[in-house]
Amino acid sequence: MLSTSHAPQAPHVPPPAPAPGGARELANWLIPDWELQPESVEAVTVLPSFASKMRECERVCQTLYSEIPHEIQDAVVLRRLQQMVNTAMLNPLWRERLRGAGVLHAPATYEEWQRIPLSDKDVQRDFFMDTRPGMVVPLTRGEFEIVASGGTSGGAPLEVVYSLRELKDTYEIAGRFMGAYQLARHLAGSDPKWLFTTLADYQMWSSGTMVGGVLQHVPGVNYVGAGPVTAPVLEHMFSYRGPKALMGISAGIAILADLGAGMRQEYRDSFRVALYGSGVLPQRKRVELQALYPNLSILSYFAATQAETIGLQLDAASPHLSAVPGLHFIEIVDEDGRQVPEGEEGELVVTRLHAHETPLLRLKLGDRMIHRPRTDGPGLKTRQFEFAGRTGDVLHLNDSQYSGARAYAALREELKAAEVVDLDAVAHDIQFVNHREGKTITLYAAVDDVLGLTYRADSVLGPYGLQQVFVNALPRALSLFNHGEANAASIEKTGYTLQLKFVPRLSAEIERTAVGKVPLVRDRG
């Protein structure tokens, strides 16, 4: 059985002398002044890894890093962030960028840290592609890995560079956390345990490269990098004795309901965890999967090209994602780059803590998150957040902007209350298309019974009912602090109308990316 015994254990030995006092003293002791501010590029190459600092912190505190009190974790991470800023300033491009924002020295507090300018995909491209001028330690030294993305959102390719020694550390940290806190209770018993991924080769050169590295470092499991599978291949994999978990993109998980339709029941019973790695898995697909695989838990594995494990859903009953302590510094920020209060929505910003040679500070990944309370009490102590959609999932009605995810939720509630349709129950895919010139928003729903659902919607709503649903629902798509911007009358004044169009599965009318993802919102002229 997987257990926390596979996670890094702190040996029961007394701390070294002199014993550090409070949280700040411990952090300063772990990263002493002569490491905090390296004097040269060569000095950076011999800095002890941050993973070694985490292990030493465990030894002193006599507990797992992921269960160390927040006060200590916060002090250690702040010290590491200070070291990262000092390291970045050895690079002329970073030094110019930081000084341009008025940052002349490492931040003394988390409040000061928020003065560091946010980075976006353009900054990442300028710093880590072509001649890669943002690297502190040059590429000529070797021992780096290039991780690439096809640019499924923006369409332009994107690359970033990581030190191989630090990648190995992060794979082990994330893999052990995943085994102890996400998979252990599902992959129980004395039989062999299996962890598959169906990420394709072209995905394995993007975030899949890093996800595969993590999955290989989950203790006590047998890893299979299967790639895309057919029904016979899936049945062969599931015929292996023992409980199984499988990770893939949302579309790769959704299709398992079709691929497993003819599979032997005993094989289906052995499927325990499905991890989907991009966005949202439609409710219709969840129902189909759990009907076919009765012992299945469906959990989110949130990752990106720049971060192998951003957030893991630990409990199927809660949408909260948990950060892996010590892996990244994660912020949910407003437009000014300031941390939003708990319960509020903001943009996800990630700083990879294991990046001596190639620091990338405060990177926006293009996702919206809700800031949730961090876990406390006995056991795991970490930050939590909840996925709220892609930053680009915005409906623009003239000068107003509405959350696509909230708009869908509100429209779904209105249509269900009117006894027209439960979109969660029938739709395989959903997509808004905003025809700005014609001021029409079309909500496409890929369903099995196109004619029947179209007839029902027309019969129940009549010629004007859908527009009433639209103007009632859309004001609820604004954030808490913007509710005053819109009401039914103001929506009518925009001149926009809503169309609901049911289409067959895999219809060409729903736009998909090169890797099969369905963006929630698409704009057209």
Side-chain angles (χ1 to χ4, degrees):
M1 174 181 176
L2 287 171
S3 72
T4 52
S5 64
H6 294 293
Q9 299 290 330
H12 292 279
V13 296
R24 181 185 291 183
E25 289 77 11
L26 174 57
N28 294 350
W29 178 81
L30 287 169
I31 304 177
D33 290 344
W34 57 86
E35 293 177 12
L36 183 70
Q37 191 161 0
E39 295 181 350
S40 66
V41 169
E42 186 57 36
V44 173
T45 67
V46 294
L47 280 176
S49 69
F50 184 58
S52 71
K53 305 302 181 180
M54 292 172 62
R55 289 192 292 270
E56 188 66 7
C57 190
E58 289 180 327
R59 193 183 71 83
V60 171
C61 295
Q62 297 290 291
T63 190
L64 303 176
Y65 186 88
S66 52
E67 299 184 5
I68 286 172
H70 287 294
E71 179 188 12
I72 294 177
Q73 288 192 39
D74 290 346
V76 172
V77 169
L78 179 59
R79 186 76 169 172
R80 171 62 186 130
L81 293 174
Q82 293 168 341
Q83 185 185 34
M84 290 187 72
V85 172
N86 287 332
T87 302
M89 284 185 169
L90 293 172
N91 173 278
L93 196 58
W94 274 113
R95 190 162 59 247
E96 178 185 358
R97 176 170 171 76
L98 292 170
R99 287 179 176 175
V103 178
L104 304 179
H105 52 76
T109 64
Y110 280 111
E111 182 73 16
E112 285 189 19
W113 165 260
Q114 293 180 97
R115 298 175 188 169
I116 304 284
L118 297 176
S119 301
D120 58 17
K121 300 298 179 69
D122 289 334
V123 171
Q124 182 183 339
R125 186 173 288 111
D126 292 343
F127 278 51
F128 293 101
M129 291 189 70
D130 298 324
T131 60
R132 313 187 199 276
M135 295 178 63
V136 171
V137 177
L139 202 64
T140 52
R141 179 175 173 269
E143 300 180 3
F144 293 101
E145 177 172 322
I146 309 299
V147 181
S149 166
T152 55
S153 296
L158 199 61
E159 293 179 347
V160 72
V161 188
Y162 295 119
S163 156
L164 286 171
R165 67 164 175 147
E166 290 176 311
L167 271 183
K168 183 176 184 297
D169 287 338
T170 60
Y171 291 162
E172 290 180 353
I173 292 166
R176 292 182 184 194
F177 179 92
M178 188 178 175
Y181 297 101
Q182 189 181 41
L183 296 178
R185 60 195 175 105
H186 300 288
L187 303 184
S190 58
D191 285 340
K193 296 153 189 66
W194 301 91
L195 184 51
F196 307 118
T197 180
T198 55
L199 291 172
D201 287 343
Y202 58 82
Q203 293 159 338
M204 294 300 282
W205 191 28
S206 64
S207 56
T209 307
M210 308 182 83
V211 170
V214 173
L215 301 185
Q216 293 176 57
H217 284 85
V218 174
V221 303
N222 302 294
Y223 170 73
V224 178
V229 297
T230 60
V233 172
L234 185 69
E235 181 162 18
H236 173 73
M237 289 161 47
F238 278 19
S239 72
Y240 300 164
R241 183 168 59 89
K244 300 165 187 74
L246 186 147
M247 188 273 164
I249 63 172
S250 297
I253 296 300
I255 200 173
L256 298 178
D258 297 326
L259 296 180
M263 189 184 297
R264 289 172 55 173
Q265 186 64 47
E266 63 183 285
Y267 300 164
R268 285 187 264 153
D269 289 346
S270 70
F271 189 18
R272 303 299 167 81
V273 185
L275 300 167
Y276 62 95
S278 56
V280 178
L281 191 67
Q283 181 62 25
R284 166 71 183 266
K285 295 302 181 184
R286 293 172 179 272
V287 172
E288 290 178 357
L289 285 165
Q290 289 173 319
L292 192 66
Y293 304 100
N295 299 319
L296 185 64
S297 290
I298 302 171
L299 302 171
S300 172
Y301 182 127
F302 195 84
T305 304
Q306 300 78 13
E308 63 277 65
T309 315
I310 299 169
L312 294 171
Q313 184 183 4
L314 305 183
D315 183 354
S318 169
H320 293 180
L321 302 171
S322 295
V324 179
L327 194 61
H328 307 97
F329 179 56
I330 292 172
E331 303 171 83
I332 313 298
V333 305
D334 60 20
E335 292 179 356
D336 297 320
R338 314 293 291 184
Q339 180 77 43
V340 302
E342 287 181 7
E344 287 304 309
E345 181 183 314
E347 183 152 13
L348 174 69
V349 172
V350 171
T351 301
R352 181 182 180 81
L353 295 174
H354 304 258
H356 282 319
E357 288 95 338
T358 59
L360 180 49
L361 308 178
R362 305 195 80 198
L363 177 66
K364 299 191 296 182
L365 293 180
D367 297 288
R368 305 285 295 176
M369 293 285 176
I370 302 169
H371 183 195
R372 295 302 185 195
R374 49 192 192 176
T375 61
D376 214 333
L380 177 63
K381 295 176 180 63
T382 190
R383 306 170 78 91
Q384 292 189 121
F385 39 94
E386 182 180 343
F387 183 68
R390 293 288 293 172
T391 304
D393 289 344
V394 174
L395 292 168
H396 297 266
L397 274 68
N398 299 340
D399 294 329
S400 296
Q401 299 181 13
Y402 299 82
S403 160
R406 285 202 186 101
Y408 169 69
L411 285 168
R412 181 192 68 220
E413 290 173 8
E414 291 282 338
L415 291 169
K416 187 175 180 180
E419 299 184 350
V420 177
V421 63
D422 182 349
L423 287 173
D424 268 357
V426 303
H428 298 281
D429 292 303
I430 289 287
Q431 187 172 78
F432 286 106
V433 175
N434 187 354
H435 302 271
R436 293 205 193 187
E437 190 172 319
K439 291 196 170 185
T440 301
I441 291 176
T442 303
L443 175 58
Y444 288 94
V447 299
D448 295 327
D449 183 11
V450 175
L451 294 178
L453 288 170
T454 302
Y455 176 77
R456 176 161 184 79
D458 290 345
S459 301
V460 174
L461 294 173
Y464 306 110
L466 186 60
Q467 186 66 11
Q468 192 61 47
V469 166
F470 179 57
V471 299
N472 288 342
L474 207 61
R476 304 207 300 275
L478 288 168
S479 69
L480 176 67
F481 297 115
N482 299 110
H483 277 170
E485 279 187 28
N487 52 37
S490 65
I491 300 296
E492 288 279 23
K493 287 180 181 178
T494 66
Y496 264 84
T497 59
L498 176 71
Q499 295 179 351
L500 175 62
K501 187 167 185 180
F502 297 104
V503 297
R505 292 180 67 176
L506 303 179
S507 168
E509 291 189 78
I510 291 182
E511 186 177 333
R512 290 170 171 80
T513 69
V515 295
K517 297 181 184 179
V518 177
L520 180 60
V521 177
R522 275 293 180 255
D523 277 315
R524 293 181 187 157

